[in-house]
Amino acid sequence: MNGLVFLVLAVTLSVLAIPVAIRLAPRLGMVDKPDPRKVHAKPIPRIGGIGITLGALLPIAILLPWTPILESFLLGSLILFVFGAWDDSKEITHWIKFGGQFAAAGLIVYHGNLWVERFPFLGGELLPAYIGKPFTIFAIVGVINAINHSDGLDGLAGGECLLSLIVMGFLAYVASDSLAVYLTCAVAGGILGFLRFNTHPARIFMGDAGSQFIGFAMAFLAVYLTQIAHPALSPALPLLLIGLPIADINAVFYLRISGGMNWFKATRNHIHHRLLDLGFEHYETVILIYSVQAILVGSAVLLRYQSDALVTLVFFAIVTVLFISLTVAERRKWEFTATPEKRALSRVVGSLTTDRRMAKHAAAAAVAMFSVLLLIGTLAVRDVPLVVAFISFSLLVACSINLARRSGSSDSLIFRFATYSIALLVVYLTVQEPPASRWLAFGVSTPAYLVLAAITGIAIRMATEQVFRTTATDYLILFGLITISIFGRELLEVRHISLIIVHSVIMVYAAEFTCRATQKRLSLLSVAVLLSLLILSLKGL
C-alpha cells in the first residue's frame, strides 16, 4: 500500500467534513469569541479538529491491521479529541484537560509499549523502565501543550506541524517503516484539508480538539522514529523535529514565572504575539515563524546521524538567535510598519506592480511559457495508453463545445478542468518515459519547469488585479517541493515520484494563473490545450 493513498483519503475526508462542522458549530457552542488577547475581530467556529482527526484516523483505522501500538494511538487520539471538543464547547479547566492528556500518553507507554529508552548523552546506555516510561508520559503531555499554545494565528500551528511532518515522513521512508509512513501521511492529509479553510482570513479554527490531536501525533511519531523505526537517529533529534513550539512554550513559561504570573493563564507573550506587537502583519508573522521552523526541521534531516551534542547545540543556537533578536527589537522599540515610501525596494516593486503594461506583459509571458511547455510535452510523449487517449478525446469534445458557446471562455470550469488534466497527464507520461529527441527532452526537463515557475511567480506578483491570491499555505507547498527535490535525489527509487510531484505542482499553479488571466475564447492558451488534447488522442487511438 502507498502512503499517498492515506494522504489523499485524509485530505478528502477533512475537506468534506469541515464545511459540515462549520454549520454545526453554533449549535454545539463551539465558537471562539474575540477578546483582548486574541487577534480575530469576529466569532469564528473552533470545530476544525473534527476534520483533522476524522481525516487522519479513519483511513488508519480501516486500512491498517490493529496492533497494540496502533490501538494505543487510535484510542489516545480519541480521548484527546473528546476532551478537546469538550473544552471547545464548555471551556473546561486545564486540570481536566491534563487528565485526558495523561490518559492518552499512558496508553502509548503502557499499552503500546512505546517509551524513551535511548536518551541523549548516555553514550548508548539504556534508560530503565521506571525512569523512561514516566519521562515519556511527561514529554508527550509537554508536546501536546506546546502545539496547543502555538495555535494563535490563522494557519500557524497547522503549518508548523505540517513542516515537521514533511521531514518525519522522509525519515520514516528512509527507515522503511510503513506504519510511520502511513501515520505521517494521514496526519499531514488531515492538516492539509483543514488549512484549506484556516488560511488567513480563517473561516474556522482547529480548537483544542485539533491542536491536542496534532500534538499527540507529533509526539508519538518523534518517539517512534527515534526509538523503534530508526534507532540510528540521534535521540536528541525530537528537539529539531518538533522545533519552535518547544522553544516557544518554554520561553512563555519563563516570562510568566519571572513576571509573577499564573503559569496556565493565557497571555500575549508568545512569539507570534511579540512579532505582531513589533508591527509585522499577520501574513508576515506566519511566514517568519514558518521560516524558522523550516530551518529547524531541515537541520533535523542534515544532522540526523550526528552526535547528540551537535543536534542540541544547533537547536539552541537557532532559537537563541531568534529570542535575542526579538528582545533587542522590543527594547529598542523598533517598528516594522514602515510605509512603502520609506523603503527603496518597496518603491521599485510598487512601481512595477502598478504598471498595467508590465503586468500585462508578465501575464502574457506566463501564458506563452505554459502553452509552449504543454505542446512540447504532448509532442514528447511516446506511447499513450488507450485510457489516456479516451480521456483526452472526451475532454477535447467537451472543451470544443464549451468554447463554441457565446459564454465560453478559458476561465470556465470545463476548460480549467481540461487544462489541469492535460497538464498532469503530460507530466506523468514524460517522466515515466523520457523522449528520445534531445530538444524535446530539454523542453520537459526540470530547468524548463523551474523557468515556468519563475515566470508565473513574477506574473502573479505583478498582477494589478486579484486574478490569483497567494497565501501562507503556498509557502508550505514551496518548502515541500524543495524538500522533495533535494532528498528525492538521495533515494533513487523515488526520483521519478519526486519529479512527478514537483513538475505537477508547478504546472497546476501555472494552469490556475493562466486560466484566470486569459478570458478570451480563442487565445494562445485555448489553442495549446485543444491541440494537446488532439495530439494525445491521435497518438493513443
Side-chain angles (χ1 to χ4, degrees):
M1 195 179 301
N2 196 305
L4 290 175
V5 174
F6 289 85
L7 179 68
V8 172
L9 286 175
V11 170
T12 304
L13 290 170
S14 182
V15 168
L16 291 175
I18 287 177
V20 178
I22 291 175
R23 289 194 292 268
L24 291 175
R27 299 181 185 179
L28 299 174
M30 301 172 77
V31 176
D32 197 333
K33 298 179 181 179
D35 65 40
R37 187 184 62 85
K38 298 173 181 176
V39 298
H40 60 284
K42 62 179 182 179
I44 303 289
R46 52 182 177 192
I47 197 171
I50 290 180
I52 298 172
T53 309
L54 178 68
L57 295 187
L58 201 57
I60 295 170
I62 294 175
L63 298 178
L64 295 181
W66 285 40
T67 59
I69 196 166
L70 184 60
E71 289 171 358
S72 65
F73 176 77
L74 292 172
L75 293 175
S77 298
L78 288 176
I79 289 172
L80 288 171
F81 174 77
V82 170
F83 275 78
W86 185 10
D87 182 62
D88 292 332
S89 178
K90 303 296 182 181
E91 294 192 6
I92 59 178
T93 67
H94 54 267
W95 297 113
I96 296 177
K97 286 197 290 184
F98 278 144
Q101 293 167 6
F102 277 103
L107 274 172
I108 291 293
V109 171
Y110 290 102
H111 181 64
N113 199 33
L114 175 64
W115 50 284
V116 176
E117 194 174 23
R118 296 173 54 253
F119 196 78
F121 304 108
L122 292 185
E125 293 186 20
L126 302 180
L127 278 180
Y130 66 86
I131 295 177
K133 289 186 175 182
F135 169 80
T136 306
I137 292 175
F138 279 98
I140 292 174
V141 170
V143 173
I144 292 170
N145 284 282
I147 303 302
N148 179 256
H149 281 73
S150 69
D151 183 28
L153 294 179
D154 298 346
L156 182 57
E160 282 184 291
C161 293
L162 193 59
L163 289 169
S164 296
L165 288 166
I166 290 172
V167 169
M168 288 182 177
F170 170 77
L171 295 177
Y173 190 91
V174 170
S176 301
D177 191 290
S178 58
L179 176 61
V181 171
Y182 298 153
L183 289 181
T184 305
C185 289
V187 177
I191 295 174
L192 268 175
F194 165 74
L195 287 175
R196 170 69 178 79
F197 303 89
N198 185 241
T199 301
H200 185 68
R203 295 170 54 193
I204 190 171
F205 295 155
M206 67 171 66
D208 271 31
S211 62
Q212 290 199 116
F213 164 69
I214 294 174
F216 179 68
M218 295 271 288
F220 175 90
L221 287 166
V223 176
Y224 183 84
L225 280 171
T226 54
Q227 302 297 320
I228 294 179
H230 203 354
L233 296 174
S234 165
L237 208 62
L239 282 174
L240 293 172
L241 289 175
I242 307 298
L244 201 52
I246 294 177
D248 185 36
I249 193 170
N250 282 286
V252 166
F253 281 146
Y254 169 76
L255 291 172
R256 290 177 184 175
I257 294 169
S258 62
M261 295 178 282
N262 187 328
W263 283 33
F264 305 109
K265 184 178 181 180
T267 54
R268 281 185 60 89
N269 49 16
H270 288 279
I271 292 173
H272 55 271
H273 290 134
R274 297 170 69 179
L275 288 171
L276 289 172
D277 292 340
L278 285 170
F280 288 101
E281 295 182 0
H282 189 293
Y283 177 86
E284 295 171 328
T285 300
V286 173
I287 291 296
L288 282 170
I289 293 175
Y290 281 176
S291 299
V292 177
Q293 180 73 349
I295 293 171
L296 287 166
V297 299
S299 300
V301 176
L302 299 175
L303 303 174
R304 59 189 184 272
Y305 301 128
Q306 299 301 318
S307 67
D308 299 337
L310 181 59
V311 171
T312 306
L313 178 63
V314 169
F315 172 78
F316 280 105
I318 294 170
V319 299
T320 299
V321 169
L322 171 65
F323 285 115
I324 288 177
S325 302
L326 275 175
T327 303
V328 170
E330 290 167 341
R331 289 181 178 177
R332 295 189 178 184
K333 298 182 179 180
W334 288 351
E335 181 60 53
F336 293 90
T337 54
T339 59
E341 290 75 17
K342 296 181 181 179
R343 298 174 179 170
L345 181 60
S346 295
R347 289 201 304 272
V348 174
V349 174
S351 65
L352 290 175
T353 56
T354 54
D355 189 327
R356 289 184 174 273
R357 288 182 301 173
M358 292 291 291
K360 186 177 181 180
H361 293 327
V367 172
M369 186 67 183
F370 175 77
S371 302
V372 169
L373 282 189
L374 196 61
L375 285 171
I376 291 176
T378 53
L379 292 172
V381 173
R382 294 185 189 179
D383 299 319
V384 179
L386 185 60
V387 64
V388 173
F390 178 76
I391 292 172
S392 300
F393 183 74
S394 301
L395 291 173
L396 176 63
V397 173
C399 283
S400 300
I401 294 173
N402 176 69
L403 293 175
R405 298 167 54 196
R406 287 187 176 181
S407 59
S409 74
S410 298
D411 192 28
S412 66
L413 184 60
I414 293 176
F415 187 86
R416 288 170 65 189
F417 178 75
T419 305
Y420 296 149
S421 300
I422 187 67
L424 295 176
L425 287 172
V426 165
V427 167
Y428 177 78
L429 294 173
T430 52
V431 171
Q432 288 295 100
E433 190 174 354
S437 170
R438 288 186 177 181
W439 71 272
L440 287 176
F442 178 77
V444 294
S445 65
T446 298
Y449 282 104
L450 291 178
V451 171
L452 173 63
I455 293 175
T456 304
I458 293 170
I460 290 171
R461 181 66 182 88
M462 295 180 63
T464 54
E465 298 178 2
Q466 199 75 358
V467 296
F468 190 101
R469 180 173 174 268
T470 56
T471 68
T473 306
D474 298 318
Y475 177 92
L476 300 175
I477 294 173
L478 177 61
F479 178 80
L481 291 181
I482 294 172
T483 304
I484 292 168
S485 300
I486 294 174
F487 300 119
R489 296 177 183 273
E490 282 193 32
L491 306 172
L492 295 178
E493 65 271 21
V494 297
R495 186 174 183 275
H496 276 46
I497 297 175
S498 301
L499 288 176
I500 289 173
I501 294 173
V502 173
H503 292 182
S504 295
V505 172
I506 292 173
M507 288 295 274
V508 166
Y509 268 82
E512 175 73 11
F513 175 77
T514 53
C515 284
R516 291 187 179 277
T518 307
Q519 300 294 329
K520 297 179 181 179
R521 282 190 293 173
L522 189 60
S523 63
L524 177 60
L525 176 64
S526 60
V527 171
V529 170
L530 292 175
L531 279 177
S532 298
L533 291 170
L534 178 62
I535 291 170
L536 286 189
S537 301
L538 294 176
K539 282 189 174 183
L541 297 175

